[in-house]
Amino acid sequence: MASGFFALLDDIATLMDDVAAMSKVAGKKTAGLLGDDLAVNAEKASGFLSDREIPVLWAITKGSFINKLIILPIAFLLSAFVPIAIKIILIIGGLYLSYEGAHKIYEWIVPHKKKEDIHDLQDLTKEEMLKHEQEKIKSAILVDFILSVEIVIIALSSVEQAELLNQIFVVSIIAVIATIGVYGIVGLIVRMDEFGVKLINLNERDNSFSDKVGRFLVQGLPWVIKSLSIIGTIALILVSGGIFVHNLHFIHDIVHSLPSIVGEFLVGLVVGFTVLPVITFGKKIWKSIFKK
């Protein structure tokens, strides 16, 4: 019995070694997409009153975990029995991401009536504030769902030759790291100004080292948020373009002579601005029908 027990421990150790090695490979393959995920979700998680940032971020994080719980078992089943469905889901997700990116660019270029900005949030009623938060939370969780699908599928593809148990361990580890890592960093970003104020108030001296660092953090937050908005938009375009280039051969053949990042960006941009008027028109029709 003792020998059997030690043999079991040896099998478990071997399994863990295999999982650790494959997790490193999968982590490298998904690293770029995790960076895109961070930029997109940091931009989505910003734009709230200071005392509401953490509760909203926590709501988005819980939604992200639920997304993973939904995606993982479905991804394993589809990969095993209906692999073509994975590609179809990827294409649909790419269409949505390209639309999101194109819509942001359109709003920057074309003059339009601006929605309430963070400085106007102080004047909102409690009901309006909750509605504003729920809309941004739903939007963030939806984008997270699509990006999570991409992360899970890429991680799964890196271990597709492995045994099912190893696949489950590796992809689940990547999914958990993606959620904790991304939203942990997002939490640090959106609380930069609060930490800066604490550093400024750390001592009575003027122009101390802590004061300088604190002021840098406070003054830098708006620039970080603006930068993340731009980076997040570029990320949406690149991720969507990558989906089409790597899953549709005729698109790959069109841009294969270009540097990959250029080709993917151009494809995402073209698809985004093709889908944008279709969805915009569809929204108008939907509203006109259900307002009656």
Side-chain angles (χ1 to χ4, degrees):
M1 181 175 291
S3 61
F5 175 74
F6 286 114
L8 177 61
L9 288 180
D10 184 60
D11 290 342
I12 293 173
T14 302
L15 175 63
M16 290 300 101
D17 285 341
D18 291 342
V19 168
M22 287 186 287
S23 295
K24 289 181 181 179
V25 174
K28 288 179 180 178
K29 288 194 173 185
T30 57
L33 195 55
L34 288 175
D36 295 338
D37 198 3
L38 171 62
V40 171
N41 285 294
E43 191 273 329
K44 287 283 186 183
S46 62
F48 302 97
L49 294 178
S50 179
D51 62 342
R52 295 298 303 159
E53 286 174 342
I54 296 302
V56 168
L57 184 58
W58 175 237
I60 297 172
T61 304
K62 287 190 291 184
S64 180
F65 273 115
I66 293 172
N67 285 342
K68 305 297 192 301
L69 289 174
I70 295 170
I71 293 166
L72 286 171
I74 294 175
F76 294 133
L77 290 172
L78 291 178
S79 179
F81 300 108
V82 197
I84 188 63
I86 296 293
K87 183 176 285 191
I88 294 172
I89 293 170
L90 284 173
I91 298 300
I92 294 172
L95 291 172
Y96 177 78
L97 292 175
S98 64
Y99 160 75
E100 279 273 302
H103 186 262
K104 285 182 175 296
I105 294 172
Y106 174 79
E107 287 189 332
W108 291 339
I109 297 173
V110 180
H112 62 285
K113 185 179 179 181
K114 291 184 178 180
K115 297 178 181 179
E116 73 272 5
D117 124 312
I118 189 170
H119 301 296
D120 300 323
L121 296 179
Q122 296 280 3
D123 301 324
L124 296 180
T125 64
K126 184 177 180 180
E127 290 74 17
E128 291 172 333
M129 178 69 70
L130 289 174
K131 182 180 178 182
H132 171 75
E133 288 183 0
Q134 289 304 314
E135 287 175 354
K136 293 206 72 174
I137 289 170
K138 286 179 181 178
S139 175
I141 292 175
L142 178 58
V143 173
D144 175 273
F145 183 89
I146 297 168
L147 289 171
S148 294
V149 169
E150 300 303 304
I151 291 169
V152 168
I153 296 304
I154 291 173
L156 189 58
S157 67
S158 69
V159 293
E160 60 185 351
Q161 302 302 324
E163 295 180 2
L164 178 60
L165 185 59
N166 285 351
Q167 289 183 15
I168 292 173
F169 273 121
V170 171
V171 178
S172 299
I173 288 170
I174 295 297
V176 171
I177 290 174
T179 303
I180 295 175
V182 166
Y183 287 102
I185 296 173
V186 169
L188 292 175
I189 290 172
V190 299
R191 301 304 288 177
M192 267 179 63
D193 55 346
E194 291 292 321
F195 184 60
V197 171
K198 288 182 179 180
L199 286 177
I200 293 171
N201 297 329
L202 193 61
N203 55 63
E204 300 292 331
R205 290 179 296 161
D206 293 329
N207 209 29
S208 64
F209 177 74
S210 62
D211 286 349
K212 291 177 181 178
V213 175
R215 283 195 293 269
F216 174 79
L217 292 175
V218 172
Q219 295 169 3
L221 180 60
W223 291 99
V224 170
I225 297 301
K226 288 179 182 179
S227 299
L228 285 173
S229 178
I230 296 171
I231 294 170
T233 300
I234 295 172
L236 287 169
I237 297 294
L238 281 173
V239 171
S240 63
I243 292 171
F244 302 124
V245 170
H246 296 300
N247 291 279
L248 299 174
H249 294 298
F250 73 94
I251 292 181
H252 178 270
D253 292 340
I254 293 173
V255 300
H256 77 279
S257 60
L258 297 173
S260 60
I261 191 170
V262 174
E264 290 172 4
F265 184 80
L266 289 175
V267 169
L269 204 59
V270 170
V271 173
F273 277 99
T274 302
V275 174
L276 178 63
V278 176
I279 294 182
T280 301
F281 183 66
K283 282 183 176 180
K284 289 181 179 179
I285 294 177
W286 180 271
K287 288 180 180 178
S288 65
I289 292 174
F290 286 93
K291 275 186 177 180
K292 293 180 181 181

